[in-house]
DNA sequence: ATAACTGCAAACTGTTTGCAAGCGA
DNA sequence: TCGCTTGCAAACAGTTTGCAGTTAT
């Protein structure tokens, strides 16, 4: 897999993934009778160049850097297409805005660990979650369809050293 | 425990719980130098008379039935007091409004199973969750502080019979 | 050609806040 | 009395939507 937890590597597989995903995107648009527009492609590219989680507003900025004509409305109208095609994952961590993440072709369910100190979101493979959700659902006679496990945490390193790589990154 | 999963019973313990909790509320207000007002008490009562999850708007309605003078602003200003005192649990399931639930003195962590068909929220004891969150957090060197496990599910009964008790209840 | 798509700005929704009046300690 | 609390209405933030013009197919 192109990405390990400790040190996200930008390898050739990220570019490959982007190209393959763009093809998927085109196919999806055609299949749904939707048009392939410059704006949609710019938004797609912006999303897949983001190595981490991004907000709608950040996506707008990046997309505009690619195609100046992209508007906020189009970003908001395109995001559902991207999520429904499975290319982008929508992540709601209980803030008043949502986060998004370009899919890296993850097979397993993932949990989010949210650092309350540096605001970083870690995506963690959590294969066990699926089984657990099933067993918990069964208790009330339901069939699981989507799972969401989020752990809000504190960064011990940051508290001790008043610094950690993600915190520093955010502050610029 | 006063409540089991399959059939929530309204027993004497619910009333007892409310009275005990109201004392806790008064104590909390005093300790924090906050005033015991009619509006705050009405909002407290409204919350603890709700047997299930409720929204801020529903709480406002119920509180107004007790004290007509309660305003929306006061409800929104009182909810943080109730959650910070631990008497009411705030639940964010990714809708554009939050849910709240009067605490029944639950000790263990609870997961939510959300029925996408009838909109019902089941609270399920999930003692295992805590351990799991810890192990997942540790992977990235963080210390868990709060956990959130939500399973979005489909009601098999409803799909088969086009009916289930919670769905019927919602439709009135 | 024509229906899908776009940008703009206004609308929307749940929640928060500034202010002057009210009221608990 | 004092200042915490209140109701009101306006503000707020992220997102959605109506519309008239644009563009992919």
């Amino acid at each position: 897999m192109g990405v390990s937890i400790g040190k996200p590597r930008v390898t050739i597989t990220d570019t490959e993934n982007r190209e393959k995903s763009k093809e998927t995107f085109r196919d999806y648009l055609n299949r749904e009778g939707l048009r392939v527009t410059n704006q949609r492609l710019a938004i797609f590219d912006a999303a897949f160049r983001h190595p981490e989680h991004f907000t709608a507003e950040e996506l707008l900025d990046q997309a505009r850097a690619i195609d100046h004509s992209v508007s906020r409305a189009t970003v908001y109208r395109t995001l559902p297409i991207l999520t429904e095609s499975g290319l982008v994952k929508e992540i709601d961590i209980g803030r008043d805005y949502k986060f998004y993440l370009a899919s890296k072709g993850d097979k397993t369910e993932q949990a989010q660990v949210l650092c309350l100190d540096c605001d970083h979101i870690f995506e963690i493979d959590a294969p066990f979650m699926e089984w657990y959700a099933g067993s918990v659902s069964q208790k009330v006679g339901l069939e699981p369809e989507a799972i969401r496990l989020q752990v809000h945490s504190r960064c011990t390193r940051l508290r001790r050293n008043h610094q950690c790589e993600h915190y520093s990154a955010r502050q610029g």
Side-chain angles (χ1 to χ4, degrees), chain A:
Chain A
M1 291 297 119
V3 167
S4 66
I5 286 157
K7 27 181 171 170
R9 283 178 296 155
V10 177
T11 68
I12 188 77
T13 56
D14 276 3
T15 311
E16 282 174 3
N17 178 55
R18 177 159 70 242
E19 288 316 308
K20 209 188 99 204
S21 296
K22 190 180 285 194
E23 221 36 61
T24 309
F25 186 43
R26 287 199 142 96
D27 289 351
Y28 181 84
L29 291 175
N30 288 330
R31 198 175 334 123
E32 298 286 319
L34 301 170
R35 292 181 182 169
V36 179
T37 64
N38 278 337
Q39 288 89 339
R40 282 176 179 164
L41 290 176
I43 293 166
F44 171 92
D45 279 336
F48 275 75
R49 279 177 195 167
H50 257 286
E52 289 288 348
H53 301 77
F54 53 87
T55 64
E57 205 60 27
E58 288 167 347
L59 184 59
L60 171 62
D61 288 346
Q62 303 278 331
R64 273 189 165 151
I66 297 169
D67 178 339
H68 190 64
S69 80
V70 173
S71 74
R72 183 170 288 106
T74 299
V75 166
Y76 278 108
R77 284 192 270 234
T78 303
L79 275 168
I81 300 178
L82 287 169
T83 54
E84 270 151 44
S85 70
L87 289 166
V88 166
K89 190 161 68 155
E90 183 186 278
I91 293 153
D92 188 319
I93 62 167
R95 306 239 170 133
D96 40 10
Y97 44 86
K98 293 194 176 95
F99 285 93
Y100 299 89
L101 183 62
S103 171
K104 302 215 159 47
D106 336 287
K107 286 284 184 300
T108 33
E109 290 285 343
Q110 293 186 298
Q112 283 93 41
V113 178
L114 319 167
C115 183
L116 300 167
D117 293 313
C118 67
D119 266 2
H120 192 80
I121 305 174
F122 298 88
E123 294 278 331
I124 311 278
D125 281 338
F128 185 76
M129 200 163 80
E130 219 156 336
W131 174 86
Y132 191 53
S135 94
V136 136
S137 258
Q138 208 178 19
K139 281 195 188 179
V140 290
L142 298 186
E143 232 172 55
E145 195 157 289
I147 317 162
R148 196 159 133 192
L149 174 57
Q150 291 168 357
V151 185
H152 298 247
S153 299
R154 288 286 172 194
C155 180
T156 46
R157 231 174 328 152
L158 181 65
R159 208 156 355 148
R160 242 180 256 135
N161 312 341
H162 295 280
Q163 189 167 354
C164 93
E165 65 273 30
H166 305 109
Y167 185 77
S168 310
R170 283 263 154 174
Q171 308 306 302

